[in-house]
């Protein structure tokens, strides 16, 4: 809001900073607005200025979330938050640090600290041998299982993943659910902010959908209530029971939603008499229109081929009686 404020060192953040210093593999699941991202940025800035040989690597969903602007970066990015905090220090404390595109370097004599970064991809961080590796909002990264396989390669003292919930279809969820993943799971809730209470929670909850509440507030991975498929869609209103669909041949439709529903959704529908009736919508993990061989399970089908086959069958008059019987 175009103003500066002191960093609020809440008790849970002190605990979090101690965990970062301990190092190892750490996974942080959190509610929104706990300043966890800011805290990691402040942690990195301290090491940039006072730890001569410290190195870091940062990644997030998109490049602009890692660094938006280089030497003119804004606080909508990780590097921009580090730069903002660096500038806010008194001049006598501020070391000579250079901010370049996707790189921060301490240019003081005798200091060899630096942080590099890139957008998340299947090869992110693979060749990075650094002291501190960080994947922010890791549950929202595409092909997160490949990104994790790359991030865990190379050398590090600390490997940190932080994220709000993105339900179950991602590597962040799998790592926090496996007892043998090797990650320490830290959980920080909205309740950990001293300035928030049950009254605040009730007001916040009232303004959210069930999915938003699960992802951003309650840190849960199963949604209770209708999932949002697209704006204005509600299965309680728009899904039609089979016994209310007019009898007739029509066309059967299986549609796939990629990008809005997570982990994925299949829609069973029937088109008859100029009306499309949504019969049901089903969520399935790892559903892909075309599964590459590297991701295919033994029983996977390519849904696009299956849909083409259905259309051909529906167009064939010799199968009319078969369709009516179904």
């Amino acid at each position: 809001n175009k103003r500066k404020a002191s960093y609020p060192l809440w008790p849970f953040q002190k605990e979090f900073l101690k965990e970062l210093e301990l190092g190892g593999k750490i996974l942080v699941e959190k509610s929104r607005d706990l300043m966890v991202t800011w805290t990691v940025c402040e942690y990195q800035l301290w090491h940039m200025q006072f730890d001569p040989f410290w190195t870091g690597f940062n990644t997030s969903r998109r490049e602009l979330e890692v660094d938006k602007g280089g030497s003119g970066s804004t606080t909508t990015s990780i590097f921009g938050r580090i730069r903002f905090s660096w500038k806010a220090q008194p001049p006598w404390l501020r070391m000579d640090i250079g901010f370049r595109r996707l790189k921060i370097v301490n240019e003081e004599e005798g200091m060899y600290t630096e942080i590099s970064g890139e957008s998340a991809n299947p090869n992110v961080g693979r060749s990075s041998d650094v002291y501190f590796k960080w994947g922010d909002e890791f549950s929202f990264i595409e092909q997160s299982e490949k990104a994790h396989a790359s991030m865990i390669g190379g050398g590090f003292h600390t490997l940190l993943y932080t994220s709000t919930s993105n339900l179950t279809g991602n590597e962040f969820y799998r790592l926090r659910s496996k007892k043998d993943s090797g990650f320490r799971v830290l959980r920080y809730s909205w309740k950990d902010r001293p300035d928030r209470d049950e009254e605040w929670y009730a007001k916040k909850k009232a303004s959210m959908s069930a999915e938003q509440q699960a992802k951003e507030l309650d840190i849960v991975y199963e949604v209770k209530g209708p999932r949002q498929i697209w704006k204005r869609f509600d299965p309680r209103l728009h899904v039609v029971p089979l016994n209310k669909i007019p009898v007739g041949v029509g066309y059967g439709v299986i549609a796939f939603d990629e990008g809005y529903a997570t982990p994925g959704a299949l829609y069973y529908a029937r088109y008859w008499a100029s009306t499309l009736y949504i019969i049901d919508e089903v969520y399935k993990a790892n559903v892909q229109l075309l599964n590459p061989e590297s991701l295919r399970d033994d029983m996977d089908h390519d849904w696009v081929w299956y849909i083409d086959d259905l259309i051909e069958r529906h167009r064939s008059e010799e199968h009319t009686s078969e369709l009516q019987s179904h």
Side-chain angles (χ1 to χ4, degrees):
N1 296 326
K2 296 183 179 180
R3 63 183 178 88
K4 293 179 183 178
S6 298
Y7 172 79
L9 189 57
W10 298 314
F12 86 90
Q13 291 169 324
K14 292 183 181 180
E15 172 197 328
F16 179 39
L17 288 166
K18 290 178 181 178
E19 292 284 352
L20 292 180
E21 280 295 88
L22 182 61
K25 292 184 287 186
I26 307 170
L27 186 147
V28 178
E29 53 182 11
K30 61 189 180 72
S31 300
R32 184 72 65 189
D33 295 333
L34 291 181
M35 293 192 69
V36 167
T37 299
W38 274 99
T39 301
V40 180
C41 289
E42 306 304 338
Y43 173 81
Q44 291 188 100
L45 177 60
W46 189 94
H47 279 280
M48 279 287 298
Q49 295 195 132
F50 303 113
D51 196 343
F53 296 96
W54 186 91
T55 52
F57 177 85
N58 295 177
T59 189
S60 191
R61 289 176 290 182
R62 294 179 291 274
E63 182 178 302
L64 290 179
E65 293 179 16
V66 179
D67 184 7
K68 187 176 182 181
S71 60
S73 54
T74 70
T75 54
T76 58
S77 66
I78 290 170
F79 284 10
R81 292 176 186 184
I82 295 174
R83 179 174 167 270
F84 175 89
S85 300
W86 170 76
K87 286 182 65 178
Q89 296 176 122
W92 60 266
L93 181 61
R94 208 163 49 222
M95 286 194 175
D96 187 12
I97 293 179
F99 292 85
R100 302 155 196 162
R101 181 176 174 273
L102 295 173
K103 195 162 190 175
I104 307 174
V105 178
N106 190 327
E107 297 174 341
E108 294 275 348
E109 184 177 353
M111 298 296 292
Y112 303 94
T113 49
E114 66 177 47
I115 308 174
S116 58
E118 63 179 287
S119 63
N121 59 74
N123 295 305
V124 64
R126 185 181 297 277
S127 58
S128 296
D129 189 356
V130 296
Y131 193 87
F132 183 84
K133 280 186 178 180
W134 177 28
D136 191 34
E137 289 295 357
F138 202 79
S139 67
F140 292 88
I141 289 174
E142 294 184 10
Q143 300 187 63
S144 55
E145 70 286 346
K146 290 186 176 181
H148 168 63
S150 294
M151 286 284 281
I152 206 166
F156 57 84
H157 174 265
T158 305
L159 175 62
L160 172 70
Y161 295 150
T162 59
S163 190
T164 52
S165 166
N166 192 21
L167 308 184
T168 60
N170 55 79
E171 189 67 12
F172 185 86
Y173 171 76
R174 288 186 282 273
L175 290 172
R176 60 88 57 197
S177 302
K178 290 180 180 178
K179 292 183 179 180
D180 60 349
S181 70
F183 279 79
R184 298 199 309 280
V185 179
L186 309 179
R187 183 181 180 88
Y188 299 125
S189 165
W190 63 269
K191 296 178 182 179
D192 291 315
R193 279 190 57 157
D195 58 341
R196 291 184 174 173
D197 54 21
E198 292 295 335
E199 182 180 356
W200 176 91
Y201 175 76
K203 289 181 180 178
K204 191 71 173 178
K205 179 181 174 181
S207 67
M208 290 181 158
S209 67
E211 187 169 342
Q212 287 173 324
Q213 183 183 338
K215 289 183 174 183
E216 301 194 0
L217 201 58
D218 293 340
I219 325 178
V220 297
Y221 296 88
E222 297 291 338
V223 174
K224 296 179 180 179
R227 295 280 303 280
Q228 183 180 35
I229 310 305
W230 61 81
K231 291 180 180 178
R232 303 188 186 90
F233 179 84
D234 186 337
R236 295 171 300 183
L237 302 175
H238 303 124
V239 174
V240 181
L242 272 170
N243 60 6
K244 292 189 177 180
I245 293 179
V247 176
V249 177
Y251 291 92
V253 178
I254 296 179
F256 174 71
D257 176 29
E258 183 176 31
Y260 292 96
T262 303
L266 293 171
Y267 310 105
Y268 296 82
R270 184 174 229 168
Y271 186 75
W272 186 81
S274 300
T275 303
L276 179 65
Y277 294 90
I278 305 284
I279 301 171
D280 198 5
E281 42 94 12
V282 179
Y283 295 95
K284 295 172 69 70
N286 301 320
V287 174
Q288 302 287 336
L289 278 176
L290 287 172
N291 274 334
E293 290 295 334
S294 61
L295 294 179
R296 189 190 305 278
D297 294 327
D298 291 341
M299 298 303 293
D300 275 358
H301 298 285
D302 284 320
W303 290 102
V304 69
W305 297 341
Y306 186 48
I307 293 170
D308 286 345
D309 182 58
L310 277 178
I311 292 172
E312 288 303 316
R313 286 175 55 199
H314 289 180
R315 286 175 177 169
S316 173
E317 292 182 358
E318 66 186 38
H319 286 96
T320 298
S321 59
E322 178 185 350
L323 289 170
Q324 286 175 327
S325 68
H326 283 74

